[in-house]
Amino acid sequence: MRAAASEPSDPSGARPEVRAAGGALRGSREAGVAVFRGIPFAEPPVGPLRFAAPRAVRGWDGVRPALEYGPPPPQGGALGMAAMSRDAVGDDWLTVNVWSPDPGPGAGLPVMVWIQGGAYVVGMSGLPEYDGGRLARDGGVVVVTFNYRVGPEGFGWIEGAPANRGLLDQVAALEWVRDNIRAFGGDPDRVMLFGESAGAGSIAALLAMPRAAGLFGRAVAQSVPGTFFSPELAADIATACAAELGLKPTLADLSAAAPPRLSAAGDAVGAKTVQWAERWGRIAHRSIPYSPVVDGDTLPVTPWQALADGAGRDIELLVSHTRDEQRLLTLLEGRLGQVTQEQAETALAVFGPGRDGALCYREGFPTAGPDELYELVQSDWLFRMPSLHLAEAQIAGGGRAHVCELTWPAPGMGGVLGACHGLDVPLVFGNLDRGGPALLFGESPSAEAEELSARMRAAWTAFAAHGDPGWPAYDAGRRLVQLFDTRSVVTAYPEETSRLIWQDHTFPAVPLIGR
């Protein structure tokens, strides 16, 4: 048993307390919501446990303060995340955070479990935009966020270590929710996952994973990436990453490399992946060094195949994407408004489906210029069509799915970002004025943004409560979807040209194409 850390005394007794499986916890109360942060759900994955599947956490004596987020797992260098990880104290990377409007075993509230994105390279639950207070308070739900291993620690292919360790962390967090959430006022039989980008890809994987069966009954997948790796590709990328350190991608070699060095090696390979294009194909052109691996064990098949085979027919699914997924990424590349004809042609050739993909885009969008074509084909390949196909696979397998698209343009930066990738996240949480969202909403979020956020939060919490977000389920005939905009409407899926271009694509595991 671990001893609980000490905390300042609270003579008022106002701080909420619960008893979880590991021991007693004391949280805080913020704007009427009970908040518990930094609760370990697994032992720190360091030392002998590094690169291992998560191990159940030991309990603690006394009352453990749950007032601060746990330290983030080692991060890649994108968006300054590596520095945040290096500055963190401790190695309790695998922790959960809970917001509850009514803590207590009898409340029976719906539970919303968030899985953050970050390209499987970065991501931490302690970012201010992921604060669950407003969502819990206004929606009458229990909100859970958690950390999972990313980059080489969580998704690198390592000989002698289990694959998809980041996904196994997610399963362990969901098992913690199943075993403990009643004490926080949640109903373990009404657990809904929601996540965006790599978080949505993780949800797609969990839908296909036998180890996750029974841990959730509903899911909202926001901007599902279509990249799931074959073992051969993952092993080849791992070899390149290890070679940056003069090592082999084995458990023995990499266990001796400090996590920051290993993350930096992954960053180095990611920065020059285009040199590997003849071996790694499309993912080399997008610098994607890590993704879930279809290893035949933890993840037996791709999510699209699993759902088409009926793996998710008992799960109620909502799938969403934004209209202009690629726009923010084009900005980060330094190409916004500056895409050349040659760059557009290269993107069409690389990312269009099949041998005639480029021609299909030119004929389907005859008035589109280089910028639009560049963004359309990459939005479709990486996020829009994988998301739509996930819903269609769910329906093909006998399940039900709802679909929505965010078409409201972000007002920040003069409106140039459109309905970009990630815009839905602050709208769903209701956190429009903190962290990264300032880029999207400007210094003072408008009444229009607040109203749209309220509508999206209402849809997400309604789906968590009873499986109905407020619009009809998607079907192959009418293809009705909800468009979230200044005036939200239910209409036929608007990206019909893209849908037809991609209708025969299957999103297989990404292969190693050269030796």
Side-chain angles (χ1 to χ4, degrees):
M1 297 285 284
R2 293 191 287 198
S6 62
E7 64 167 323
S9 61
D10 180 21
S12 68
R15 288 180 176 164
E17 290 191 15
V18 300
R19 177 163 289 278
L25 294 159
R26 180 178 295 122
S28 58
R29 192 168 294 278
E30 302 171 14
V33 175
V35 185
F36 301 84
R37 295 183 172 92
I39 309 166
F41 67 84
E43 287 294 296
V46 297
L49 299 183
R50 191 179 179 197
F51 304 127
R55 180 177 296 180
V57 68
R58 294 170 293 166
W60 54 85
D61 295 319
V63 179
R64 181 187 179 102
L67 305 175
E68 298 181 359
Y69 292 111
Q75 303 281 302
L79 305 175
M81 293 290 203
M84 296 175 67
S85 175
R86 285 195 300 269
D87 293 341
V89 177
D91 52 19
D92 251 332
W93 303 338
L94 303 182
T95 57
V96 302
N97 319 292
V98 182
W99 289 260
S100 176
D102 187 9
L109 300 175
V111 181
M112 296 176 61
V113 180
W114 170 251
I115 305 180
Q116 69 267 357
Y120 308 105
V121 174
V122 298
M124 58 186 75
S125 63
L127 296 178
E129 48 262 49
Y130 302 150
D131 185 287
R134 190 175 189 187
L135 194 56
R137 181 179 62 254
D138 296 350
V141 297
V142 175
V143 177
V144 178
T145 67
F146 64 90
N147 287 335
Y148 60 95
R149 283 173 283 181
V150 293
E153 302 291 328
F155 291 95
W157 183 270
I158 299 173
E159 184 180 332
N164 298 309
R165 295 171 299 280
L167 297 179
L168 295 178
D169 291 346
Q170 295 169 14
V171 171
L174 291 174
E175 290 172 339
W176 183 93
V177 169
R178 176 196 62 197
D179 297 340
N180 291 277
I181 206 62
R182 194 181 301 278
F184 297 84
D187 182 349
D189 295 322
R190 286 200 293 169
V191 173
M192 185 190 89
L193 307 185
F194 69 124
E196 185 264 351
S197 197
S202 296
I203 289 172
L206 291 165
L207 287 164
M209 289 172 57
R211 300 185 196 197
L215 295 176
F216 59 99
R218 297 181 178 120
V220 180
Q222 304 166 217
S223 302
V224 181
T227 52
F228 283 72
F229 290 175
S230 67
E232 296 78 15
L233 175 63
D236 206 56
I237 294 172
T239 298
C241 291
E244 289 286 324
L245 302 175
L247 302 173
K248 295 180 180 179
T250 64
L251 184 62
D253 267 22
L254 296 185
S255 293
R261 288 188 68 223
L262 196 53
S263 293
D267 289 343
V269 170
K272 55 186 179 184
T273 49
V274 71
Q275 75 181 47
W276 299 90
E278 293 186 1
R279 296 172 67 85
W280 301 348
R282 289 166 165 164
I283 64 104
H285 289 269
R286 286 302 300 262
S287 298
I288 302 174
Y290 302 106
S291 277
V293 182
V294 182
D295 66 328
D297 178 20
T298 303
L299 185 57
V301 297
T302 68
W304 297 273
Q305 181 180 337
L307 292 194
D309 292 341
R313 66 165 59 99
D314 296 327
I315 305 293
E316 293 174 312
L317 179 64
L318 191 160
V319 173
S320 73
H321 64 71
T322 71
R323 182 186 59 199
D324 307 306
E325 291 280 4
Q326 173 65 23
R327 188 74 55 81
L328 176 63
L329 307 178
T330 304
L331 172 70
L332 296 175
E333 293 170 359
R335 292 181 176 176
L336 188 60
Q338 301 178 38
V339 176
T340 66
Q341 187 67 41
E342 181 181 2
Q343 288 168 336
E345 291 297 330
T346 298
L348 291 173
V350 169
F351 299 108
R355 288 182 295 180
D356 298 325
L359 177 63
C360 289
Y361 271 92
R362 292 192 206 98
E363 292 181 345
F365 302 95
T367 62
D371 290 279
E372 186 176 358
L373 289 170
Y374 181 87
E375 292 186 358
L376 276 169
V377 70
Q378 294 192 77
S379 292
D380 285 341
W381 168 71
L382 188 54
F383 295 118
R384 298 202 309 181
M385 293 305 106
S387 299
L388 181 66
H389 280 219
L390 195 73
E392 293 180 340
Q394 170 75 340
I395 296 163
R400 188 180 70 168
H402 293 79
V403 177
C404 65
E405 179 175 354
L406 177 61
T407 55
W408 180 79
M413 297 188 64
V416 299
L417 290 174
C420 65
H421 186 66
L423 177 61
D424 50 334
V425 176
L427 290 168
V428 167
F429 275 93
N431 298 327
L432 310 184
D433 58 352
R434 62 186 77 177
L439 173 74
L440 303 172
F441 299 98
E443 302 240 345
S444 180
S446 66
E448 182 180 281
E450 290 285 2
E451 195 276 333
L452 177 59
S453 173
R455 275 186 275 135
M456 293 186 71
R457 281 181 281 125
W460 265 238
T461 54
F463 193 68
H466 46 72
D468 182 0
W471 64 88
Y474 186 89
D475 63 66
R478 297 181 300 166
R479 299 192 178 90
L480 293 180
V481 304
Q482 172 78 60
L483 302 186
F484 281 105
D485 210 318
T486 303
R487 179 177 173 269
S488 296
V489 297
V490 176
T491 186
Y493 183 65
E495 317 305 340
E496 180 66 3
T497 301
S498 292
R499 187 191 70 80
L500 292 173
I501 291 173
W502 288 85
Q503 63 181 341
D504 296 325
H505 191 74
T506 59
F507 290 99
V510 183
L512 177 66
I513 58 176
R515 297 286 180 178

